[in-house]
């Protein structure tokens, strides 16, 4: 099991932002996280990669005890995770190759192995011909593919994606979703925040979580009723199990 949270509170400034979280994720799972703005979706991801503290019964991520993992050991956890952000977070003054090489350097890859691994991930995301381009020379979709390539460098067991299609047009967003689905088929679990509820039908997941009322609820994908309001928010009426 990649994630095992049992009756966990997630804290910000010692105040619980999410209560009594129960979550299990296995290899090859694809999980969506949905919910209103400010409902705690990003906080859930941050707890998984160790940016927010947790307390409660059990909090295991990749066999690390998140309740007792010291800060100087956090890098060991994060080497097993790939993290993809909505705003790409690429280094603007470095080429695609240099962005990726930087990650391998700080994670202690041998010099002779770096070029091969960079070529592998760029092939995997379909932009091997962009290695010498700078971020400003790429489209939004290409930049997100670089971000996904960066997340895959260390052969993660789990990819965490925070609104990876949020800044992309529909066609480009769908291509990124297909890429994430392909990654999942190869055995890497994916957990993704989205406000685009149409994706739940177009790209079905094994798990759908909704953050509401300071809780995380596990809801069945086939029984989500979504009512889009005029203010572009959504009311979600889950059948909870």
């Amino acid at each position: 099991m990649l994630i095992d949270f049992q009756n966990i509170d997630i804290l910000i400034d010692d105040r619980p932002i999410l209560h009594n979280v129960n979550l299990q994720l296995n290899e090859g799972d694809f999980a969506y996280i949905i919910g209103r703005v400010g409902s705690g979706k990003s906080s859930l991801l941050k707890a998984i990669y160790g940016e927010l503290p947790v307390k409660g019964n059990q909090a295991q991520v990749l066999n690390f005890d998140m309740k007792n993992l010291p800060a100087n050991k956090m890098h060991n956890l994060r080497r097993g995770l790939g993290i993809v952000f909505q705003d790409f977070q690429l280094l603007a003054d470095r080429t695609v190759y240099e962005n990726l090489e930087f990650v391998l350097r700080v994670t202690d890859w041998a010099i002779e192995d770096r070029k091969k691994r960079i070529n592998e991930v760029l092939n995997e995301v379909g932009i091997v011909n962009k290695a010498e381009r700078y971020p400003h020379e790429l489209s939004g979709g290409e930049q997100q593919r670089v971000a996904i390539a960066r997340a895959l460098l260390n052969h993660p067991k789990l990819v965490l994606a925070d609104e990876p299609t949020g800044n992309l047009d529909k066609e480009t967003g769908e291509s990124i979703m297909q890429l994430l689905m392909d990654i999942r088929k190869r055995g890497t679990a994916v957990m993704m925040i989205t406000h685009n509820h149409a994706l739940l039908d177009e790209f079905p997941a094994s798990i759908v979580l909704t953050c509401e009322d300071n809780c995380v609820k596990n809801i069945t994908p086939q029984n989500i009723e979504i009512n889009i309001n005029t203010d572009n928010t959504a009311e979600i009426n889950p059948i909870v199990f």
Side-chain angles (χ1 to χ4, degrees), residues 85-104:
F85 298 99
Q86 180 178 354
D87 57 356
F88 317 134
Q89 296 195 9
L90 302 176
L91 301 171
D93 61 342
R94 305 188 190 203
T95 65
V96 168
Y97 184 93
E98 290 167 341
N99 266 270
L100 301 182
E101 196 271 339
F102 174 78
V103 174
L104 295 181

Side-chain angles (χ1 to χ4, degrees), residues 36-228:
R36 293 178 180 273
V37 173
S39 61
K41 301 182 300 298
S42 294
S43 296
L44 178 57
L45 288 195
K46 289 178 180 179
I48 291 169
Y49 64 78
E51 189 168 320
L52 289 180
V54 299
K55 68 177 183 179
N57 287 357
Q58 179 160 298
Q60 296 279 333
V61 178
L62 306 185
N63 294 319
F64 288 92
D65 180 0
M66 302 306 295
K67 294 190 299 177
N68 299 301
L69 186 62
N72 64 356
K73 300 292 184 182
M74 198 67 68
H75 65 281
N76 293 325
L77 164 72
R78 292 175 181 169
R79 285 182 182 179
L81 299 172
I83 305 174
V84 180
F85 298 99
Q86 180 178 354
D87 57 356
F88 317 134
Q89 296 195 9
L90 302 176
L91 301 171
D93 61 342
R94 305 188 190 203
T95 65
V96 168
Y97 184 93
E98 290 167 341
N99 266 270
L100 301 182
E101 196 271 339
F102 174 78
V103 174
L104 295 181
R105 181 154 38 88
V106 299
T107 52
D108 300 324
W109 279 66
I111 294 174
E112 59 270 21
D113 295 330
R114 295 176 195 168
K115 184 175 182 178
K116 178 183 177 183
R117 183 58 187 149
I118 290 170
N119 285 335
E120 287 173 349
V121 294
L122 290 178
N123 268 307
E124 195 169 348
V125 302
I127 52 168
V128 70
N129 60 328
K130 306 291 184 179
E132 298 307 318
R133 299 287 183 89
Y134 287 87
H136 71 270
E137 298 177 306
L138 304 176
S139 68
E142 289 168 340
Q143 289 186 64
Q144 193 59 290
R145 286 175 180 269
V146 177
I148 293 170
R150 180 181 58 195
L152 296 176
L153 281 169
N154 283 304
H155 302 285
K157 295 180 179 179
L158 170 62
V159 169
L160 305 173
D162 193 347
E163 287 280 1
T165 65
N167 287 332
L168 306 176
D169 61 70
K170 185 176 186 296
E171 183 178 354
T172 305
E174 288 177 352
S175 72
I176 294 299
M177 284 303 304
Q178 190 56 61
L179 175 58
L180 291 172
M181 287 290 173
D182 291 343
I183 290 168
R184 177 259 188 107
K185 289 176 184 176
R186 293 191 285 271
T188 300
V190 178
M191 179 173 281
M192 171 182 160
I193 293 174
T194 186
H195 285 102
N196 184 354
H197 298 111
L199 295 177
L200 278 64
D201 289 327
E202 296 177 47
F203 300 93
S206 52
I207 298 170
V208 179
L209 307 169
T210 179
C211 294
E212 56 180 276
D213 301 325
N214 299 108
C215 295
V216 178
K217 298 177 182 179
N218 195 339
I219 57 180
T220 57
Q222 66 269 29
N223 290 313
I224 300 170
E225 180 184 344
I226 300 172
N227 300 315
I228 304 298

